Amino acid sequence: MSTTVDTLHHEEHHDHKPSGITRWLFTTNHKDIGTLYLWFSFLMFLIGGSMAMVIRAELFQPGLQLVEPHFFNQMTTVHGLVMIFGAVMPAFTGLANWLVPMMIGAPDMALPRMNNWSFWILPFAFIILLSSLFMEGGGPAMGWTFYAPLSTTYSNDSTALFVFSVHIMGISSIMGAINVIVTIMNLRAPGMTYMKMPMFVWTWFITAFLLIAVMPVLAGAVTMVLTDKYFGTSFFDASGGGDPVMFQHIFWFFGHPEVYIMILPSFGIISAIIPTFTRKKLFGYSSMVYATASIAILSFLVWAHHMFTTGMPVVAELFFMYCTMLIAVPTGVKIFNWVATMWRGAMSFETPMLFALAFVILFTIGGFSGLMLAITPVDFQYHDTYFVVAHFHYVLVTGAIFSVMAAVYYWLPKWTGHMYDETLAKFHFWASVISVNVLFFPMHFVGLAGMPRRIPDYSVQFADINQIVSIGGFAFGLSQLIFLWVVIKCARGGEKAAAKPWEGAEGLEWTIPSPAPYHTFEKPPKIEG
Amino acid sequence: MKLKRMLALPALAVMPAVADDTVRLNLREGVTEISQRVYDLHMTIFYICCVIGVIVFGTMFWSMFRHRKSKGRTPAKFHESIRVEVLWTIIPFLILAGMAYPATTTLIHMENTDDADVTVQVTASQWKWHYKYFDHDVEYYSLLATPDQQIHNKLPKGENYLLEVDRPLVVPTGKKIRFLITSDDVIHSWWVPDFAVKKDANPGFINEAWTIVDKPGIYRGQCAELCGNNHGFMPVVVIAKEPAEYEKWITNMEVKQRKAREREQELLSMEMSKDELMKMGEKVYNGICAACHQPNGQGVQGVFPALAGSPVTTGKDSITKHIDTVVHGVKGTAMQAFGTQLSMQELAAVITYERNAWGNDTGDLVQAADVNKVMNP
């Protein structure tokens, strides 16, 4: 061991790395790969976002103005796929790559070559998916949930491309997850016991197990769709002895843990940022860990709450209603703990903290509508309306995506060695937080009033609110260009950042200089206490 | 007026319970006992969320204003308390248990479809509903009635834009009506908000739902599950009539449908002129076929085949294949079997139209008798 440390130590002085494009193509460095993931995610965020702009432009007024229903359906479908698999998940993997080794005192991820591979197959997955939009008959138009038989008998050949691209995304996610687990289990610095790990590491550790458990289920679902469509099987076709509702069971057995895959790392980020800017330790660390684990376990027992209207036996409906309501308890614990962390602290409001506070409030609103949706008899009314659209955009946009933005602002000084422009960043925050609520809050109302989701045209009673929603959407979309500008500006220069630019920050990543050297912790640090 | 309404919105946003006739912001109370109970559950859980929200956000904002560094605060040192953590695990649990009780009783009541007075089979297909009464020999399709010119902004939109059908479902008030819901192709979802009934129509399986409508009236809903191209253009309209009026309507309907069938048999021997066929064919085509094959017969490339210039519609000896395709559909594709949906006359007319419109100009005339030969060989 000591000899390896010596040779690695030798390299530290000349930050050896290839230059140009080969640096990025062949890199096995966790920081480079983290950067690749994050830029890829932002690109996908813009592509998925521009599809949302098409959707909101068509829905600006009743009637069909810009696109035909078939193209509209492609937009809703691919928007969902790109945002989930292209924007949110890679953003978290990027953050894990950058942060997990630095937080646990490891020199790199445990499996660096696989790390390179798991990133570099992603662009191909999305090239396949996005290119299907240009094929004859267009891309997938069956919703991101690709319910059979709409995705089998009634779809065009873009389904084949869709299936292969999802397979590649799944392989990428599984490899990323394996890497995170192996790294955390093997490369923690001496003295860092599990219950001393930062919350972000804990939440990602649990997320990685969720990924390994459910991504193969998704792969199974898409494969069955493929064989039903092309190879004469009848998994989801009643005339051959199959069952279309079985598709939904399989899909949501993946889909619900997937929801938590996209929010648990956020919990970790928020649990890092709030204590920093409150200058107070996180309240109830161990209950936070247990709450995260309970949420993860419960997430396997609630999938059918997406399917209350499919005609399940009443006993099954009751079981899934109770389990779903139960998940509010550990989630509540997390929210209460964050609020208790703020209580009697000494708060300051830099941009990461603003996003974190907005997260707590807006994610809680998404949690409330989730609780309402859990009540089966009322879910019959909410199901497949804009109320649901409002709900999951509150948890995904003002939840997951806001937490990613908070994380980027928080660790940007560590990554680039420069402070970002605080004024511009605050402008980005306020523009985003106002427009996002103009965008998503009124959706609750049209949903309750009875507007179904995934429709390109609506009855005139919904016109006023849809107009407001669209205006909010355009404003939110434009606001993200400010984000892009702040990040580029910060990467190119700015006030030099100290090793620990935030007064209240704690953790190993703040013990190394800013910007973080290409190789860090070649000698494992000692964890005291 | 519009501006005033928009200005009023933020105020209403604070109190979503406020009902307004022009801008509806809340769930409907509906017209059935169930829909009322669902509405009450909705308001209860909404108020619970509001109370929790006020407490949590209130505490948070209090901290944000009082416990800030700029006011020279020094942070407290506490970071654990088993007592409060147990407390805020148990209290939410108890609130949820309290909420689960009324939800459970309502749900069990909603799923009890026994002792129905009237049974209607609802069969969905892309993109229409078919209603079949079990106790009477009455069945018919129900299609969107909003003209295409309104959808494409060539005519001003009507009051019930996209929420109007040619033949609504008619049910009696005060009677327990059981719906047997299924589908011929993809999954649809039959939804009438005023009844709080939403149930998926799954191909190959039958779902049950029920309602008792208290008030006569016209109730409108939509398909709720993405079902392809025209998912947004598949409304549900239900008319509830007093039982006596309903009886009159249904017996009348039964006689009318029987006579229509008899007349169809007589018409088999009659020949229609090309003008008659083309006129009727155009109407049927635009009402049903144009949704996929487009009004100009060009279809959608890669999804719905073009009919203009197609070998099936223009081929020399393709008449029988053409009739067969329309009557029996094409298995494994979106092409439905229209033999059960249209009369033989209508089938003959639409096939004639397809063979002569958009420059197809085959000159072929198809008569009801030709269709009959394919349907009943």
Side-chain angles (χ1 to χ4, degrees), chain B residues 73-284:
Chain B
R73 298 276 311 195
T74 43
K77 290 271 180 261
F78 71 89
H79 61 86
E80 222 153 19
S81 163
I82 298 292
R83 218 166 27 156
V84 294
E85 288 185 70
V86 169
L87 212 63
W88 65 42
T89 308
I90 289 176
I91 294 175
F93 184 83
L94 294 177
I95 296 174
L96 291 173
M99 191 61 216
Y101 178 73
T104 304
T105 52
T106 307
L107 184 64
I108 289 172
H109 188 40
M110 282 173 106
E111 296 288 352
N112 178 9
T113 50
D114 295 347
D115 306 318
D117 303 309
V118 177
T119 300
V120 182
Q121 184 181 323
V122 180
T123 310
S125 58
Q126 287 181 325
W127 293 279
K128 50 193 167 289
W129 301 99
H130 178 257
Y131 300 116
K132 183 178 159 71
Y133 292 80
F134 269 37
D135 319 303
H136 295 270
D137 198 7
V138 172
E139 60 179 301
Y140 53 88
Y141 280 90
S142 175
L143 274 85
L144 176 75
T146 304
D148 192 60
Q149 291 97 315
Q150 285 189 21
I151 296 170
H152 282 95
N153 312 303
K154 290 182 188 114
L155 284 177
K157 295 175 175 39
E159 189 193 349
N160 292 313
Y161 176 69
L162 296 188
L163 296 177
E164 50 202 347
V165 297
D166 55 353
R167 277 166 295 191
L169 174 68
V170 179
V171 296
T173 52
K175 294 271 167 72
K176 184 162 182 175
I177 303 144
R178 183 168 65 135
F179 302 107
L180 300 178
I181 302 170
T182 185
S183 166
D184 277 341
D185 42 44
V186 299
I187 298 173
H188 304 261
S189 194
W190 196 78
W191 180 31
V192 182
D194 280 313
F195 304 165
V197 171
K198 182 188 285 154
K199 202 59 121 179
D200 289 1
N202 299 323
F205 294 84
I206 294 173
N207 270 334
E208 286 182 290
W210 67 273
T211 191
I212 299 174
V213 187
D214 299 329
K215 245 173 58 184
I218 303 174
Y219 304 105
R220 296 171 199 277
Q222 279 175 277
C223 175
E225 180 65 58
L226 177 64
C227 56
N229 214 38
N230 284 7
H231 164 55
F233 306 92
M234 195 175 159
V236 175
V237 181
V238 182
I239 298 181
K241 290 179 192 261
E242 299 282 359
E245 251 184 277
Y246 166 78
E247 280 305 324
K248 228 167 76 192
W249 176 85
I250 193 105
T251 19
N252 207 343
M253 216 33 203
E254 209 168 7
V255 173
K256 238 165 88 184
Q257 292 210 335
R258 198 182 58 232
K259 281 192 178 147
R261 278 194 298 274
E262 287 165 5
R263 218 172 125 247
E264 187 164 28
Q265 287 302 314
E266 289 164 21
L267 283 174
L268 282 181
S269 53
M270 270 175 60
E271 298 258 306
M272 284 170 81
S273 74
K274 185 172 179 189
D275 277 354
E276 285 173 319
L277 284 167
M278 287 297 280
K279 217 174 135 203
M280 183 191 248
E282 184 174 8
K283 202 173 145 233
V284 174

Side-chain angles (χ1 to χ4, degrees), chain A residues 64 69-70 137 153-154 279 284 287 309-310 317 322 325 337 343-344 347 380-384 457 464 468, chain B residues 5 9 42 67 69 75-76 79 85 88 96 104 111 151 153 161 185 191 193 198 200 207 224-225 301:
Chain A
L64 295 176
H70 185 60
T153 318
Y154 296 86
R279 293 164 182 80
S287 70
T309 62
T310 55
E317 287 179 331
Y322 298 149
M325 292 169 86
N337 280 2
W343 187 251
R344 288 175 54 210
M347 289 163 96
F380 292 149
Q381 290 283 51
Y382 303 145
H383 180 74
D384 268 333
D457 192 6
D464 293 357
I468 296 171
Chain B
R5 251 189 279 158
L9 262 178
H42 158 72
H67 307 149
K69 196 185 174 229
H79 61 86
E85 288 185 70
W88 65 42
L96 291 173
T104 304
E111 296 288 352
I151 296 170
N153 312 303
Y161 176 69
D185 42 44
W191 180 31
K198 182 188 285 154
D200 289 1
N207 270 334
E225 180 65 58
Q301 231 190 4

